[in-house]
PDB file of all heavy atoms in Angstrom:
ATOM      1  N   ARG Y 203     -10.652 -23.270 -36.878  1.00 81.00           N
ATOM      2  CA  ARG Y 203     -11.029 -23.915 -35.627  1.00 81.00           C
ATOM      3  C   ARG Y 203     -10.186 -23.301 -34.514  1.00 81.00           C
ATOM      4  O   ARG Y 203      -8.990 -23.058 -34.710  1.00 81.00           O
ATOM      5  CB  ARG Y 203     -10.733 -25.414 -35.737  1.00 81.00           C
ATOM      6  CG  ARG Y 203     -11.400 -26.264 -34.674  1.00 81.00           C
ATOM      7  CD  ARG Y 203     -11.150 -27.740 -34.990  1.00 81.00           C
ATOM      8  NE  ARG Y 203      -9.704 -28.018 -35.004  1.00 81.00           N
ATOM      9  CZ  ARG Y 203      -9.013 -28.300 -33.884  1.00 81.00           C
ATOM     10  NH1 ARG Y 203      -9.613 -28.343 -32.727  1.00 81.00           N
ATOM     11  NH2 ARG Y 203      -7.721 -28.545 -33.944  1.00 81.00           N
ATOM     12  N   ILE Y 204     -10.809 -23.023 -33.420  1.00 84.00           N
ATOM     13  CA  ILE Y 204     -10.046 -22.475 -32.297  1.00 84.00           C
ATOM     14  C   ILE Y 204      -9.276 -23.610 -31.653  1.00 84.00           C
ATOM     15  O   ILE Y 204      -9.871 -24.559 -31.134  1.00 84.00           O
ATOM     16  CB  ILE Y 204     -10.977 -21.816 -31.256  1.00 84.00           C
ATOM     17  CG1 ILE Y 204     -11.754 -20.680 -31.899  1.00 84.00           C
ATOM     18  CG2 ILE Y 204     -10.182 -21.319 -30.072  1.00 84.00           C
ATOM     19  CD1 ILE Y 204     -12.820 -20.104 -31.021  1.00 84.00           C
ATOM     20  N   ARG Y 205      -7.961 -23.540 -31.720  1.00 87.00           N
ATOM     21  CA  ARG Y 205      -7.185 -24.662 -31.200  1.00 87.00           C
ATOM     22  C   ARG Y 205      -6.702 -24.397 -29.784  1.00 87.00           C
ATOM     23  O   ARG Y 205      -6.272 -25.313 -29.095  1.00 87.00           O
ATOM     24  CB  ARG Y 205      -6.020 -24.947 -32.132  1.00 87.00           C
ATOM     25  CG  ARG Y 205      -6.549 -25.461 -33.471  1.00 87.00           C
ATOM     26  CD  ARG Y 205      -5.511 -25.368 -34.548  1.00 87.00           C
ATOM     27  NE  ARG Y 205      -4.375 -26.245 -34.308  1.00 87.00           N
ATOM     28  CZ  ARG Y 205      -3.348 -26.329 -35.148  1.00 87.00           C
ATOM     29  NH1 ARG Y 205      -3.336 -25.603 -36.257  1.00 87.00           N
ATOM     30  NH2 ARG Y 205      -2.340 -27.117 -34.884  1.00 87.00           N
ATOM     31  N   SER Y 206      -6.731 -23.139 -29.381  1.00 89.00           N
ATOM     32  CA  SER Y 206      -6.316 -22.839 -28.015  1.00 89.00           C
ATOM     33  C   SER Y 206      -7.358 -21.921 -27.378  1.00 89.00           C
ATOM     34  O   SER Y 206      -7.200 -20.711 -27.346  1.00 89.00           O
ATOM     35  CB  SER Y 206      -4.945 -22.175 -28.025  1.00 89.00           C
ATOM     36  OG  SER Y 206      -4.606 -21.795 -26.725  1.00 89.00           O
ATOM     37  N   PRO Y 207      -8.437 -22.529 -26.887  1.00 90.00           N
ATOM     38  CA  PRO Y 207      -9.566 -21.707 -26.398  1.00 90.00           C
ATOM     39  C   PRO Y 207      -9.167 -20.742 -25.286  1.00 90.00           C
ATOM     40  O   PRO Y 207      -9.647 -19.595 -25.252  1.00 90.00           O
ATOM     41  CB  PRO Y 207     -10.551 -22.735 -25.862  1.00 90.00           C
ATOM     42  CG  PRO Y 207     -10.128 -24.042 -26.440  1.00 90.00           C
ATOM     43  CD  PRO Y 207      -8.662 -23.952 -26.716  1.00 90.00           C
ATOM     44  N   LYS Y 208      -8.273 -21.150 -24.407  1.00 91.00           N
ATOM     45  CA  LYS Y 208      -7.871 -20.247 -23.319  1.00 91.00           C
ATOM     46  C   LYS Y 208      -7.309 -18.963 -23.885  1.00 91.00           C
ATOM     47  O   LYS Y 208      -7.647 -17.860 -23.441  1.00 91.00           O
ATOM     48  CB  LYS Y 208      -6.808 -20.920 -22.458  1.00 91.00           C
ATOM     49  CG  LYS Y 208      -7.358 -21.718 -21.308  1.00 91.00           C
ATOM     50  CD  LYS Y 208      -6.207 -22.215 -20.459  1.00 91.00           C
ATOM     51  CE  LYS Y 208      -6.713 -23.111 -19.354  1.00 91.00           C
ATOM     52  NZ  LYS Y 208      -5.630 -23.790 -18.662  1.00 91.00           N
ATOM     53  N   ASP Y 209      -6.403 -19.093 -24.858  1.00 92.00           N
ATOM     54  CA  ASP Y 209      -5.800 -17.909 -25.462  1.00 92.00           C
ATOM     55  C   ASP Y 209      -6.851 -17.083 -26.196  1.00 92.00           C
ATOM     56  O   ASP Y 209      -6.828 -15.862 -26.142  1.00 92.00           O
ATOM     57  CB  ASP Y 209      -4.692 -18.320 -26.444  1.00 92.00           C
ATOM     58  CG  ASP Y 209      -3.434 -18.714 -25.698  1.00 92.00           C
ATOM     59  OD1 ASP Y 209      -3.436 -18.585 -24.462  1.00 92.00           O
ATOM     60  OD2 ASP Y 209      -2.470 -19.159 -26.351  1.00 92.00           O
ATOM     61  N   PHE Y 210      -7.749 -17.769 -26.882  1.00 94.00           N
ATOM     62  CA  PHE Y 210      -8.765 -17.058 -27.641  1.00 94.00           C
ATOM     63  C   PHE Y 210      -9.568 -16.136 -26.724  1.00 94.00           C
ATOM     64  O   PHE Y 210      -9.703 -14.940 -26.968  1.00 94.00           O
ATOM     65  CB  PHE Y 210      -9.690 -18.057 -28.332  1.00 94.00           C
ATOM     66  CG  PHE Y 210     -10.800 -17.415 -29.106  1.00 94.00           C
ATOM     67  CD1 PHE Y 210     -10.544 -16.805 -30.327  1.00 94.00           C
ATOM     68  CD2 PHE Y 210     -12.090 -17.403 -28.603  1.00 94.00           C
ATOM     69  CE1 PHE Y 210     -11.568 -16.196 -31.033  1.00 94.00           C
ATOM     70  CE2 PHE Y 210     -13.119 -16.793 -29.310  1.00 94.00           C
ATOM     71  CZ  PHE Y 210     -12.854 -16.192 -30.524  1.00 94.00           C
ATOM     72  N   TRP Y 211     -10.058 -16.701 -25.648  1.00 94.00           N
ATOM     73  CA  TRP Y 211     -10.891 -15.905 -24.740  1.00 94.00           C
ATOM     74  C   TRP Y 211     -10.073 -14.850 -24.014  1.00 94.00           C
ATOM     75  O   TRP Y 211     -10.534 -13.725 -23.803  1.00 94.00           O
ATOM     76  CB  TRP Y 211     -11.630 -16.805 -23.753  1.00 94.00           C
ATOM     77  CG  TRP Y 211     -12.678 -17.620 -24.435  1.00 94.00           C
ATOM     78  CD1 TRP Y 211     -12.677 -18.960 -24.661  1.00 94.00           C
ATOM     79  CD2 TRP Y 211     -13.876 -17.129 -25.045  1.00 94.00           C
ATOM     80  NE1 TRP Y 211     -13.785 -19.343 -25.359  1.00 94.00           N
ATOM     81  CE2 TRP Y 211     -14.550 -18.243 -25.614  1.00 94.00           C
ATOM     82  CE3 TRP Y 211     -14.448 -15.862 -25.177  1.00 94.00           C
ATOM     83  CZ2 TRP Y 211     -15.763 -18.119 -26.289  1.00 94.00           C
ATOM     84  CZ3 TRP Y 211     -15.663 -15.744 -25.846  1.00 94.00           C
ATOM     85  CH2 TRP Y 211     -16.306 -16.862 -26.394  1.00 94.00           C
ATOM     86  N   ALA Y 212      -8.848 -15.202 -23.638  1.00 95.00           N
ATOM     87  CA  ALA Y 212      -7.996 -14.204 -22.977  1.00 95.00           C
ATOM     88  C   ALA Y 212      -7.791 -13.014 -23.907  1.00 95.00           C
ATOM     89  O   ALA Y 212      -7.899 -11.859 -23.500  1.00 95.00           O
ATOM     90  CB  ALA Y 212      -6.657 -14.821 -22.581  1.00 95.00           C
ATOM     91  N   GLY Y 213      -7.515 -13.314 -25.187  1.00 96.00           N
ATOM     92  CA  GLY Y 213      -7.312 -12.235 -26.165  1.00 96.00           C
ATOM     93  C   GLY Y 213      -8.532 -11.348 -26.262  1.00 96.00           C
ATOM     94  O   GLY Y 213      -8.439 -10.116 -26.216  1.00 96.00           O
ATOM     95  N   LEU Y 214      -9.701 -11.978 -26.382  1.00 96.00           N
ATOM     96  CA  LEU Y 214     -10.935 -11.185 -26.469  1.00 96.00           C
ATOM     97  C   LEU Y 214     -11.124 -10.327 -25.231  1.00 96.00           C
ATOM     98  O   LEU Y 214     -11.504  -9.155 -25.318  1.00 96.00           O
ATOM     99  CB  LEU Y 214     -12.142 -12.117 -26.632  1.00 96.00           C
ATOM    100  CG  LEU Y 214     -12.383 -12.707 -28.014  1.00 96.00           C
ATOM    101  CD1 LEU Y 214     -13.801 -13.265 -28.084  1.00 96.00           C
ATOM    102  CD2 LEU Y 214     -12.178 -11.662 -29.098  1.00 96.00           C
ATOM    103  N   PHE Y 215     -10.824 -10.905 -24.070  1.00 97.00           N
ATOM    104  CA  PHE Y 215     -10.961 -10.153 -22.818  1.00 97.00           C
ATOM    105  C   PHE Y 215     -10.082  -8.902 -22.857  1.00 97.00           C
ATOM    106  O   PHE Y 215     -10.535  -7.802 -22.550  1.00 97.00           O
ATOM    107  CB  PHE Y 215     -10.563 -11.043 -21.634  1.00 97.00           C
ATOM    108  CG  PHE Y 215     -10.570 -10.352 -20.306  1.00 97.00           C
ATOM    109  CD1 PHE Y 215     -11.745 -10.233 -19.579  1.00 97.00           C
ATOM    110  CD2 PHE Y 215      -9.407  -9.801 -19.793  1.00 97.00           C
ATOM    111  CE1 PHE Y 215     -11.757  -9.580 -18.356  1.00 97.00           C
ATOM    112  CE2 PHE Y 215      -9.412  -9.148 -18.571  1.00 97.00           C
ATOM    113  CZ  PHE Y 215     -10.592  -9.036 -17.851  1.00 97.00           C
ATOM    114  N   PHE Y 216      -8.826  -9.089 -23.286  1.00 97.00           N
ATOM    115  CA  PHE Y 216      -7.921  -7.942 -23.318  1.00 97.00           C
ATOM    116  C   PHE Y 216      -8.416  -6.881 -24.307  1.00 97.00           C
ATOM    117  O   PHE Y 216      -8.341  -5.679 -24.031  1.00 97.00           O
ATOM    118  CB  PHE Y 216      -6.507  -8.392 -23.699  1.00 97.00           C
ATOM    119  CG  PHE Y 216      -5.842  -9.208 -22.628  1.00 97.00           C
ATOM    120  CD1 PHE Y 216      -5.163 -10.379 -22.929  1.00 97.00           C
ATOM    121  CD2 PHE Y 216      -5.907  -8.814 -21.298  1.00 97.00           C
ATOM    122  CE1 PHE Y 216      -4.554 -11.129 -21.943  1.00 97.00           C
ATOM    123  CE2 PHE Y 216      -5.299  -9.562 -20.299  1.00 97.00           C
ATOM    124  CZ  PHE Y 216      -4.624 -10.725 -20.631  1.00 97.00           C
ATOM    125  N   ILE Y 217      -8.905  -7.318 -25.451  1.00 97.00           N
ATOM    126  CA  ILE Y 217      -9.396  -6.354 -26.446  1.00 97.00           C
ATOM    127  C   ILE Y 217     -10.558  -5.560 -25.858  1.00 97.00           C
ATOM    128  O   ILE Y 217     -10.614  -4.325 -25.959  1.00 97.00           O
ATOM    129  CB  ILE Y 217      -9.835  -7.082 -27.731  1.00 97.00           C
ATOM    130  CG1 ILE Y 217      -8.608  -7.704 -28.408  1.00 97.00           C
ATOM    131  CG2 ILE Y 217     -10.530  -6.110 -28.679  1.00 97.00           C
ATOM    132  CD1 ILE Y 217      -8.945  -8.591 -29.587  1.00 97.00           C
ATOM    133  N   ALA Y 218     -11.477  -6.273 -25.207  1.00 97.00           N
ATOM    134  CA  ALA Y 218     -12.640  -5.583 -24.636  1.00 97.00           C
ATOM    135  C   ALA Y 218     -12.207  -4.544 -23.597  1.00 97.00           C
ATOM    136  O   ALA Y 218     -12.670  -3.400 -23.602  1.00 97.00           O
ATOM    137  CB  ALA Y 218     -13.587  -6.605 -23.998  1.00 97.00           C
ATOM    138  N   VAL Y 219     -11.296  -4.957 -22.704  1.00 97.00           N
ATOM    139  CA  VAL Y 219     -10.812  -4.017 -21.684  1.00 97.00           C
ATOM    140  C   VAL Y 219     -10.181  -2.796 -22.345  1.00 97.00           C
ATOM    141  O   VAL Y 219     -10.476  -1.653 -21.996  1.00 97.00           O
ATOM    142  CB  VAL Y 219      -9.775  -4.715 -20.764  1.00 97.00           C
ATOM    143  CG1 VAL Y 219      -9.038  -3.692 -19.920  1.00 97.00           C
ATOM    144  CG2 VAL Y 219     -10.462  -5.727 -19.876  1.00 97.00           C
ATOM    145  N   ALA Y 220      -9.336  -3.042 -23.349  1.00 97.00           N
ATOM    146  CA  ALA Y 220      -8.620  -1.949 -24.000  1.00 97.00           C
ATOM    147  C   ALA Y 220      -9.603  -0.982 -24.655  1.00 97.00           C
ATOM    148  O   ALA Y 220      -9.478   0.237 -24.507  1.00 97.00           O
ATOM    149  CB  ALA Y 220      -7.648  -2.502 -25.029  1.00 97.00           C
ATOM    150  N   LEU Y 221     -10.603  -1.523 -25.359  1.00 97.00           N
ATOM    151  CA  LEU Y 221     -11.562  -0.645 -26.022  1.00 97.00           C
ATOM    152  C   LEU Y 221     -12.318   0.197 -24.994  1.00 97.00           C
ATOM    153  O   LEU Y 221     -12.542   1.388 -25.201  1.00 97.00           O
ATOM    154  CB  LEU Y 221     -12.538  -1.469 -26.872  1.00 97.00           C
ATOM    155  CG  LEU Y 221     -11.889  -2.139 -28.101  1.00 97.00           C
ATOM    156  CD1 LEU Y 221     -12.936  -2.916 -28.886  1.00 97.00           C
ATOM    157  CD2 LEU Y 221     -11.203  -1.103 -28.980  1.00 97.00           C
ATOM    158  N   GLY Y 222     -12.688  -0.429 -23.889  1.00 97.00           N
ATOM    159  CA  GLY Y 222     -13.380   0.315 -22.838  1.00 97.00           C
ATOM    160  C   GLY Y 222     -12.542   1.478 -22.335  1.00 97.00           C
ATOM    161  O   GLY Y 222     -13.029   2.613 -22.226  1.00 97.00           O
ATOM    162  N   PHE Y 223     -11.268   1.215 -22.062  1.00 97.00           N
ATOM    163  CA  PHE Y 223     -10.414   2.278 -21.545  1.00 97.00           C
ATOM    164  C   PHE Y 223     -10.189   3.367 -22.597  1.00 97.00           C
ATOM    165  O   PHE Y 223     -10.135   4.547 -22.258  1.00 97.00           O
ATOM    166  CB  PHE Y 223      -9.071   1.699 -21.070  1.00 97.00           C
ATOM    167  CG  PHE Y 223      -9.096   1.261 -19.640  1.00 97.00           C
ATOM    168  CD1 PHE Y 223      -9.401  -0.035 -19.296  1.00 97.00           C
ATOM    169  CD2 PHE Y 223      -8.840   2.177 -18.625  1.00 97.00           C
ATOM    170  CE1 PHE Y 223      -9.436  -0.435 -17.970  1.00 97.00           C
ATOM    171  CE2 PHE Y 223      -8.869   1.791 -17.299  1.00 97.00           C
ATOM    172  CZ  PHE Y 223      -9.172   0.474 -16.971  1.00 97.00           C
ATOM    173  N   ILE Y 224     -10.065   2.973 -23.874  1.00 96.00           N
ATOM    174  CA  ILE Y 224      -9.877   3.994 -24.917  1.00 96.00           C
ATOM    175  C   ILE Y 224     -11.106   4.893 -24.968  1.00 96.00           C
ATOM    176  O   ILE Y 224     -11.000   6.119 -25.032  1.00 96.00           O
ATOM    177  CB  ILE Y 224      -9.619   3.330 -26.289  1.00 96.00           C
ATOM    178  CG1 ILE Y 224      -8.226   2.688 -26.292  1.00 96.00           C
ATOM    179  CG2 ILE Y 224      -9.718   4.368 -27.413  1.00 96.00           C
ATOM    180  CD1 ILE Y 224      -7.883   1.952 -27.552  1.00 96.00           C
ATOM    181  N   ALA Y 225     -12.292   4.276 -24.906  1.00 96.00           N
ATOM    182  CA  ALA Y 225     -13.519   5.061 -24.979  1.00 96.00           C
ATOM    183  C   ALA Y 225     -13.558   6.097 -23.858  1.00 96.00           C
ATOM    184  O   ALA Y 225     -13.898   7.258 -24.072  1.00 96.00           O
ATOM    185  CB  ALA Y 225     -14.733   4.143 -24.899  1.00 96.00           C
ATOM    186  N   LEU Y 226     -13.182   5.673 -22.649  1.00 95.00           N
ATOM    187  CA  LEU Y 226     -13.216   6.602 -21.514  1.00 95.00           C
ATOM    188  C   LEU Y 226     -12.100   7.639 -21.627  1.00 95.00           C
ATOM    189  O   LEU Y 226     -12.308   8.835 -21.388  1.00 95.00           O
ATOM    190  CB  LEU Y 226     -13.067   5.835 -20.202  1.00 95.00           C
ATOM    191  CG  LEU Y 226     -14.253   4.981 -19.783  1.00 95.00           C
ATOM    192  CD1 LEU Y 226     -13.858   4.090 -18.613  1.00 95.00           C
ATOM    193  CD2 LEU Y 226     -15.420   5.867 -19.383  1.00 95.00           C
ATOM    194  N   ALA Y 227     -10.907   7.179 -22.013  1.00 95.00           N
ATOM    195  CA  ALA Y 227      -9.734   8.066 -21.981  1.00 95.00           C
ATOM    196  C   ALA Y 227      -9.797   9.129 -23.062  1.00 95.00           C
ATOM    197  O   ALA Y 227      -9.192  10.193 -22.923  1.00 95.00           O
ATOM    198  CB  ALA Y 227      -8.456   7.248 -22.124  1.00 95.00           C
TER     199      ALA Y 227
END
Side-chain angles (χ1 to χ4, degrees):
Chain Y
R203 195 174 60 85
I204 300 172
R205 293 163 66 179
S206 175
K208 270 186 184 170
D209 283 356
F210 178 75
W211 291 110
L214 282 196
F215 176 84
F216 291 135
I217 293 173
V219 167
L221 292 181
F223 271 93
I224 289 177
L226 289 169

